Amino acid sequence: MLQASVSGTVIKSSLIEPDGGVLVDARVPESERGSKTLEAELMPKVSLAKIDMEWVHVTSEGWASPLKGFMRENEYLQSLHFNSLRMENGPVVNMSLPIVLAIDDETKESIGSSKDVGLVGPEGDLLAILRRSSSKHVVDVLVYMYEANVHVKQLQDSFSIEIYKHNKEERITRTWGTTAPGLPYVDEFIIPAGNWLLGGDLEVLKPIKYNDGLDHYRLSPKQLRDEFDRRQADAVFAFQLRNPVHNGHALLMNDTRRRLLEMGYKNPILLLHPLGGFTKADDVPLGVRMEQHSKVLEDGVLDHETTIVAIFPSPMHYAGPTEVQWHAKARVNAGANFYIVGRDPAGMGHPTEKRDLYDPDHGKKVLSMAPGLEKLNILPFRVGFTTSHLFANAPIPHTVAAYDTVAKKMAFFDPSRSKEFLFISGTKGNMESLGDCFCYCTVIAWFRRFHTVGSRLGIFLMRTYARNGENPPDGFMCSGGWEVLVKYYERSVTEEAISAVASA
Amino acid sequence: MLQASVSGTVIKSSLIEPDGGVLVDARVPESERGSKTLEAELMPKVSLAKIDMEWVHVTSEGWASPLKGFMRENEYLQSLHFNSLRMENGPVVNMSLPIVLAIDDETKESIGSSKDVGLVGPEGDLLAILRRSSSKHVVDVLVYMYEANVHVKQLQDSFSIEIYKHNKEERITRTWGTTAPGLPYVDEFIIPAGNWLLGGDLEVLKPIKYNDGLDHYRLSPKQLRDEFDRRQADAVFAFQLRNPVHNGHALLMNDTRRRLLEMGYKNPILLLHPLGGFTKADDVPLGVRMEQHSKVLEDGVLDHETTIVAIFPSPMHYAGPTEVQWHAKARVNAGANFYIVGRDPAGMGHPTEKRDLYDPDHGKKVLSMAPGLEKLNILPFRVGFTTSHLFANAPIPHTVAAYDTVAKKMAFFDPSRSKEFLFISGTKGNMESLGDCFCYCTVIAWFRRFHTVGSRLGIFLMRTYARNGENPPDGFMCSGGWEVLVKYYERSVTEEAISAVASA
């Protein structure tokens, strides 16, 4: 018998509805865990890698609502081709990244014709069930099938887990727009993965914990929504990041708050939302970033009263314009109705060519056009009109952050005293190049001798400063935050030296 | 001064609205051609290749409505990422292929800051103007800019033609889902193309003619709609093809008509709509196909009274699930409200691997999910329920065509006397394998000794039959149509022999 077994909690929020109207919650209530676990023990088992567990975490908490688990082919194809899913009742929700579970031939064989499987975590613990559909959809499909005289065998198949081909080449090209070797997520998780994808609805049998001292930062969309309500927020603006916060970031966040107040909001809340899942090897680790973010709040660069710091549990794809939609959509589900987007979001250098993998402007352009995100207010950074603004609700063009040499701090560029600001290209004074400098411009200005410059150079320079024990330009980052980074890079240097000695 | 200069004709049709409500017609009325040509002569010139001219033809007649010319970046990005365009007033229209004009560095340089350019055809004749926007959009943008205090310089830029980067790798991967060398359209037209794309609205200065004796078949969407009205069609079902029509095709088309009559339509009209633009070298040339199609009607395999044969002027991308949406969308604009889709539409073998480039089922699945095509009735071939049916309006599952050895003709498979039908996999009797055989099954059944079989083998075998002067199985194709093919292949063999002698 088919019955609804995943509890969907209807979230009331005056700010923004979760996609599909209902926040998915695929975590089995404590009272049912015993019986479900017994049931799961009899099912064929599928082993999850760490990355799969991160996706179980993400989908079970409803970040990908209305998605209820790993994608079936129907959802996978829509995501791949349209970056969106059409709901049963008509409207479209955004879904730009395929959230899929790859299995190999042997696992496929072992599943056979089973309708459900047990998912086993990296530690060998029975973590979840992947099973047939449990939603209202079932009823619709039953009615359809009855009317269409569809055979019972086919009916059963439609609600089972689903195994379909994992065409890696197509998945990679349509998601990343390249097949160049050196894409971190692709190289680590797709190339070595199995040739099949396993789709179905999740039932998570126990809370997912990382035991890294940061679990208290891992607030679910439901918890975040509750917290926004508790604080009586009338606007929530989300800032996605995977790097330390410097004063350029802070300026933009604080200015956004100021603008929201100007627009008439009484209590805008900032969701400072660092990504906590997989990141590439040379990104600053989550623990260090969280410590740095704490200092930024301690030092008063961001206001404690109006800021919530939490971890977004998703892995990072580095898929630029395709991924930025996911970053925004997940925050809609968490209750944010404003989203800040900068230059080249979720971008990286091309793995094999000397250029950015994505046009740095495409991220915010694509985001402003993205199906299903019309309800989200997108806040782009750069001054200047593009037709894409036409598609965003209530667009608020931002000015460009630059280093004010008189005030000795990051500030918005004032054209009337342009010589007192430092930009990537010095005196060029052209709005395009101003925009390009984004917010690492101060550091970069110190290094004009470099031939190739770009925003990512800021990270490199920050590392160089910290490693050499030098201080960055005054006002670039609060001192507490800076010390965290210096210590991290000192440790890295020591560890590298030790490992070099060990391998010598 | 900006003013509307492209005439948009509002088409009244009880069957189906063109995308965007108005059929684009970018052909300059005869009375204005002289003055516009004089104007164009003063503009910088851009030379068009034959493929570009085909796209000028397609867009100027409104097949891609509401697109008014070559895509600007805003449209290009939406097409690439979402396979659709959002209209100014909210609704989404399908647009899965980027319709773009590539130019090289030198041409970009020569255009400079001009707001309009003249497009010169392959014969050196001034063919069209590509210029600033001429639509209602202008008014919206003006209002927006006024409210946002946007600088006049930026305002001018927004209505100019637009030059933006041609990221070939991203275009190819997101359109074809592969970067394997050997994709016909990519190798011929994208790899050698310039590094920039030029977008703008078209004004075509003279009718586009091919002078190949087939121009009378090239009916515009407007002409087709008029013809459907004249015939008082109450349903129009389109059949896209780029191959000769055999009796398996005919059976499906005739059966569709029968089903539409059963559904209560009084006068369903078939649009037999061979693609007339670029096709790969080993496809049967357009002239031969048109002659073959004529014979099929002459021989009464399809009914003259209820069939319209016309040429669809689009080039072929061979981009499978992405392209089939374009094929369907263009027919919506031409007034068809039913679209027949078979196995692996617009597909081909993978250029470098031994498999189909696309999953043969993905074409019809993706089509049934495609944004903007909800209003189109999609008629898939295969029996069997998939969840994708839920997304199609009024789905009519088709049965499978196979060769009836008793009746000696293509017929729908009758499970009660399964042994009298010939299928690709003989006695397997499994609906999956039946479906796979699609409609070349008869020919293929004759060749069971082949190890790898697929629908495309039918083409190969048809060619082998025709070249060897053998007859195909009785009832496979009408004799008039078959003779056309035999003559074509005889000519090819002779030409190949002559060229082999010449080069020896």
Side-chain angles (χ1 to χ4, degrees), chain A residues 73 86 169 178 362 365, chain B residues 73 169 178 362 365 369:
Chain A
E73 191 182 39
R86 198 179 321 169
E169 182 188 43
T178 180
H362 282 187
K365 286 182 184 173
Chain B
E73 192 182 38
E169 182 188 42
T178 179
H362 282 186
K365 286 182 184 172
M369 304 162 178

Side-chain angles (χ1 to χ4, degrees), chain A residues 180-405:
Chain A
L183 299 169
Y185 193 99
V186 171
D187 289 357
E188 289 219 34
F189 307 118
I190 301 187
I191 301 293
N195 292 319
W196 303 96
L197 297 175
L198 173 62
D201 288 12
L202 271 173
E203 286 184 20
V204 176
L205 299 170
K206 50 189 233 181
I208 293 176
K209 296 290 172 200
Y210 297 74
N211 302 314
D212 55 359
L214 302 172
D215 281 327
H216 62 288
Y217 279 118
R218 294 189 174 89
L219 303 181
S220 71
K222 169 83 167 64
Q223 287 172 311
L224 285 170
R225 284 177 173 263
D226 288 348
E227 181 62 17
F228 301 143
D229 283 350
R230 198 188 63 76
R231 297 205 191 190
Q232 298 188 295
D234 59 356
V236 174
F237 57 112
F239 192 78
Q240 142 76 28
L241 74 172
R242 60 170 215 272
N243 281 315
V245 173
H246 58 61
N247 289 352
H249 293 138
L251 178 66
L252 293 163
M253 289 186 265
N254 287 328
D255 189 65
T256 300
R257 178 175 161 75
R258 187 184 59 75
R259 284 163 183 268
L260 290 170
L261 290 169
E262 271 176 20
M263 286 167 72
Y265 292 100
K266 301 295 175 215
N267 187 24
I269 295 287
L270 164 64
L271 173 60
L272 184 71
H273 215 193
L275 178 137
F278 164 78
T279 52
K280 60 189 166 64
D282 62 349
D283 279 353
V284 179
L286 179 64
V288 178
R289 285 186 278 134
M290 294 311 293
E291 197 184 339
Q292 196 268 354
H293 300 343
S294 290
K295 294 292 176 191
V296 167
L297 275 116
E298 260 176 43
D299 287 6
V301 176
L302 294 174
D303 173 31
H304 226 298
E305 282 304 301
T306 57
T307 303
I308 295 174
V309 188
I311 291 175
F312 174 46
S314 171
M316 188 75 200
H317 270 60
Y318 304 92
T322 302
E323 184 166 27
V324 70
Q325 299 170 63
W326 160 244
H327 288 174
K329 175 236 165 71
R331 273 55 176 242
V332 167
N333 281 333
N337 55 344
F338 287 85
Y339 186 81
I340 300 177
V341 59
R343 183 186 180 277
D344 201 13
M348 53 176 268
H350 193 288
T352 58
E353 297 172 23
K354 280 199 171 177
R355 60 173 177 94
D356 284 328
L357 178 50
Y358 305 105
D359 183 307
D361 283 339
H362 282 187
K364 66 169 172 292
K365 286 182 184 173
V366 167
L367 188 60
S368 73
M369 304 162 178
L373 293 180
E374 301 82 359
K375 60 186 172 181
L376 181 65
N377 298 292
I378 294 162
L379 308 173
F381 276 143
R382 187 184 296 188
V383 158
F385 174 82
T386 68
T387 49
S388 63
H389 284 149
L390 286 177
F391 295 103
N393 295 330
I396 312 176
H398 271 66
T399 45
V400 178
Y403 189 71
D404 183 336
T405 56

Side-chain angles (χ1 to χ4, degrees), chain A residues 67 70-80 84-85:
Chain A
L67 193 70
F70 288 105
M71 289 180 173
R72 293 184 174 84
E73 191 182 39
N74 169 37
E75 293 153 333
Y76 172 71
L77 287 175
Q78 291 187 72
S79 168
L80 216 54
S84 59
L85 302 178

Side-chain angles (χ1 to χ4, degrees), chain B residues 290-302:
Chain B
M290 294 311 292
E291 197 184 338
Q292 196 268 354
H293 299 343
S294 290
K295 294 293 176 191
V296 167
L297 275 115
E298 259 177 43
D299 288 6
V301 177
L302 294 173

Side-chain angles (χ1 to χ4, degrees), chain A residues 73-74 82 86 137 144-145 169 173-174 177-179 322 325 350 355 362 365 369-371 374 385 390, chain B residues 73-74 82 86 137 144-145 169 173-174 177-179 322 325 350 355 362 365 369-371 374 385:
Chain A
E73 191 182 39
N74 169 37
F82 312 127
R86 198 179 321 169
H137 188 59
Y144 173 87
M145 290 179 136
E169 182 188 43
T173 50
R174 295 199 194 276
T178 180
T179 46
T322 302
Q325 299 170 63
H350 193 288
R355 60 173 177 94
H362 282 187
K365 286 182 184 173
M369 304 162 178
E374 301 82 359
F385 174 82
L390 286 177
Chain B
E73 192 182 38
N74 168 37
F82 313 128
R86 197 179 323 169
H137 188 59
Y144 174 87
M145 290 180 135
E169 182 188 42
T173 49
R174 295 200 193 276
T178 179
T179 46
T322 302
Q325 299 171 65
H350 193 289
R355 60 172 177 95
H362 282 186
K365 286 182 184 172
M369 304 162 178
E374 301 83 359
F385 175 81

